[in-house]
Amino acid sequence: DQQVKQNSPSLSVQEGRISILNCDYTNSMFDYFLWYKKYPAEGPTFLISISSIKDKNEDGRFTVFLNKSAKHLSLHIVPSQPGDSAVYFCAASAWSNTGKLIFGQGTTLQVKP
Amino acid sequence: GAGVSQSPSNKVTEKGKDVELRCDPISGHTALYWYRQSLGQGLEFLIYFQGNSAPDKSGLPSDRFSAERTGGSVSTLTIQRTQQEDSAVYLCASSLARSSGRDTDTQYFGPGTRLTVL
């Protein structure tokens, strides 16, 4: 049972444009969500997070949106840069099991110069 | 400060041999996690240690896999009688994991150990 799903395995955008990565979840107990970025041969790096009491969190070029009723979150990168090319994972945790993250399968983003 | 470290960075072994992978978490982090990522796959949860509680072993794929965490800090993941399907990158992460703040759920990852079973 895949509780966190990233339905797009890959995404390609032009440098300077917006990248939108999507994530859906099924467990209504999830109340904390995170995005990680992973380059080849490196461990995932924390990017941005959002609590369920918010619907938006922004950090520089990165914004995460949360739609609780749709059980959907998205990561917007504006403007996209070639260095953003990586695999992006969304993850979620529940208040009942604080600390344990459930990860999606990842989306490979390619930003073309 | 120092991040999560893992050793070795690469390990090549023969089928049937035992291997040990080491993880040093961030100082002060109470929770430690092991994942693996097979080629083209996502992050597969293996095991989770939180403070002095019994570990959550629900992700271990078989009884050939085990892990321990000594003194609430360093952890060792052991794979006995390795098989070719065990080949993957094994990732360790740690977090503060305090119930008082959800942002402490954020996990910080090490660089991983690439295991190749011939």
Side-chain angles (χ1 to χ4, degrees), chain B:
Chain B
V4 176
S5 61
Q6 292 185 246
S7 60
S9 55
N10 281 284
K11 176 72 177 179
V12 180
T13 190
E14 293 180 348
K15 177 181 173 181
K17 300 281 190 182
D18 297 352
V19 295
E20 285 189 351
L21 311 180
R22 178 188 167 104
C23 172
D24 283 90
I26 293 172
S27 177
H29 280 193
T30 64
L32 186 147
Y33 315 79
W34 283 98
Y35 297 86
R36 73 176 174 182
Q37 186 178 25
S38 303
L39 191 63
Q41 302 297 311
L43 291 169
E44 178 187 2
F45 166 77
L46 296 177
I47 188 169
Y48 158 41
F49 296 90
Q50 167 57 19
N52 296 321
S53 302
D56 178 349
K57 304 179 183 179
S58 60
L60 295 178
S62 77
D63 58 8
R64 296 187 296 105
F65 288 73
S66 63
E68 61 178 25
R69 188 178 185 194
T70 54
S73 181
V74 172
S75 176
T76 302
L77 177 70
T78 302
I79 309 172
Q80 296 177 311
R81 305 181 301 281
T82 52
Q83 304 293 313
Q84 288 182 331
E85 60 263 29
D86 299 335
S87 296
V89 176
Y90 288 81
L91 292 159
C92 175
S94 70
S95 69
L96 279 170
R98 303 259 189 244
S99 58
S100 59
R102 297 309 305 280
D103 58 338
T104 65
D105 286 357
T106 302
Q107 294 180 17
Y108 297 89
F109 284 81
T113 293
R114 180 173 296 278
L115 174 66
T116 303
V117 182
L118 301 176

Side-chain angles (χ1 to χ4, degrees), chain A residues 81-111:
Chain A
Q81 300 173 353
D84 295 330
S85 297
V87 179
Y88 288 78
F89 293 97
C90 69
S93 71
W95 63 269
S96 59
N97 197 356
T98 305
K100 184 174 179 179
L101 296 181
I102 307 300
F103 283 85
Q105 293 299 99
T107 296
T108 300
L109 173 65
Q110 182 184 25
V111 180

Side-chain angles (χ1 to χ4, degrees), chain A residues 48-90:
Chain A
I48 192 169
S49 62
I50 188 167
S51 166
S52 61
I53 61 173
K54 297 184 177 180
D55 53 20
K56 176 183 173 182
N57 189 26
E58 194 171 348
D59 183 2
R61 296 185 298 114
F62 302 91
T63 302
V64 55
F65 294 92
L66 176 62
N67 183 334
K68 290 186 290 292
S69 60
K71 293 191 177 66
H72 176 83
L73 64 154
S74 61
L75 175 68
H76 292 209
I77 307 174
V78 181
S80 301
Q81 300 173 353
D84 295 330
S85 297
V87 179
Y88 288 78
F89 293 97
C90 69

